Amino acid sequence: DAGVTQSPTHLIKTRGQQVTLRCSPKSGHDTVSWYQQALGQGPQFIFQYYEEEERQRGNFPDRFSGHQFPNYSSELNVNALLLGDSALYLCASSLKPDQPQHFGDGTRLSIL
Amino acid sequence: AQSVTQPDIHITVSEGASLELRCNYSYGATPYLFWYVQSPGQGLQLLLKYFSGDTLVQGIKGFEAEFKRSQSSFNLRKPSVHWSDAAEYFCAGGYQKVTFGTGTKLQVIP
């Protein structure tokens, strides 16, 4: 039973570029949430997708956007990258929006 | 505002000793509460969760946590720590928009 899988594992971009991160939820899960974890910090909630719609959003600018596909997989897009966007981006999936979340190993994004 | 506080940034314990990691929450009503563990370069693994009912919650790897409404606390405990428990531990709370504490890094010495 595959858990939450994220791709790529590592990514290097430069300021101003755009990036897309991908997430496949755990089998049977229909809800995907995205978090940003800066070095030495706890994860910060970005947004949650359920039924292909953004249901909850944290305190992140519009440069951060997402999408959920009919197969429940999800993408996180970040435009106009800033140095401060360097972080570990974690995807979490759950059976429903208010159920415990299971995390992937994350994508490490470095901005030069 | 909803918040989760972990007062201890770093804790060192000897292998075989008992462990307690502190967590305090601030929510209007009793939220769902969680403890996660993160090893270096890895994602987060759910140790245990509290939704309602019995205030003493058993989790994986021999961990337990006790919800105390009067103290707004949800402390994590383990009676005997193993070297493999060295990691960072996060307390979290919320329903859909989960809020994490800043984490407690656990070091285990022989």
Side-chain angles (χ1 to χ4, degrees):
Chain A
D1 179 23
V4 179
T5 58
Q6 294 186 241
S7 63
T9 54
H10 294 84
L11 202 50
I12 299 174
K13 292 286 188 179
T14 57
R15 281 179 296 173
Q17 285 189 310
Q18 178 264 344
V19 69
T20 298
L21 310 182
R22 295 176 175 83
C23 173
S24 293
K26 184 179 168 68
S27 178
H29 288 187
D30 62 6
T31 304
V32 173
S33 303
W34 286 93
Y35 293 81
Q36 180 195 67
Q37 186 178 20
L39 200 60
Q41 302 293 319
Q44 299 288 318
F45 177 80
I46 302 175
F47 43 53
Q48 183 181 75
Y49 276 83
Y50 173 64
E51 294 183 334
E52 302 180 49
E53 289 189 13
E54 183 183 294
R55 301 291 180 163
Q56 292 279 339
R57 189 177 183 93
N59 188 27
F60 279 81
D62 292 344
R63 298 187 297 109
F64 290 77
S65 63
H67 189 76
Q68 185 179 36
F69 299 93
N71 67 354
Y72 309 124
S73 66
S74 176
E75 289 181 350
L76 164 65
N77 301 292
V78 187
N79 294 322
L81 287 166
L82 304 173
L83 292 178
D85 295 331
S86 294
L88 179 68
Y89 287 84
L90 295 163
C91 172
S93 72
S94 55
L95 278 170
K96 290 298 177 191
D98 61 352
Q99 294 299 303
Q101 298 177 7
H102 296 255
F103 284 79
D105 286 338
T107 294
R108 174 72 64 186
L109 176 63
S110 299
I111 310 301
L112 304 180
Chain B
Q2 300 172 342
S3 68
V4 173
T5 303
Q6 294 180 249
D8 303 306
I9 297 173
H10 189 273
I11 282 185
T12 300
V13 299
S14 299
E15 191 168 15
S18 64
L19 171 70
E20 182 167 24
L21 302 182
R22 297 185 291 165
C23 173
N24 294 98
Y25 67 90
S26 174
Y27 282 83
T30 302
Y32 292 174
L33 294 167
F34 312 92
W35 275 98
Y36 287 88
V37 61
Q38 185 177 37
S39 297
Q42 301 293 312
L44 295 109
Q45 182 182 21
L46 180 66
L47 287 175
L48 47 80
K49 60 185 184 289
Y50 174 76
F51 287 175
S52 64
D54 193 347
T55 57
L56 186 62
V57 181
Q58 301 297 320
I60 62 171
K61 303 185 178 186
F63 286 93
E64 67 177 26
E66 186 171 11
F67 171 71
K68 293 185 177 180
R69 184 188 304 275
S70 61
Q71 299 176 18
S72 297
S73 69
F74 187 58
N75 295 348
L76 182 72
R77 301 194 295 249
K78 186 170 185 178
S80 178
V81 170
H82 188 262
W83 65 266
S84 60
D85 293 324
E88 188 148 24
Y89 291 80
F90 291 93
C91 181
Y95 301 96
Q96 296 168 255
K97 188 188 295 188
V98 177
T99 300
F100 283 80
T102 51
T104 298
K105 189 165 290 186
L106 174 65
Q107 182 182 10
V108 180
I109 56 177

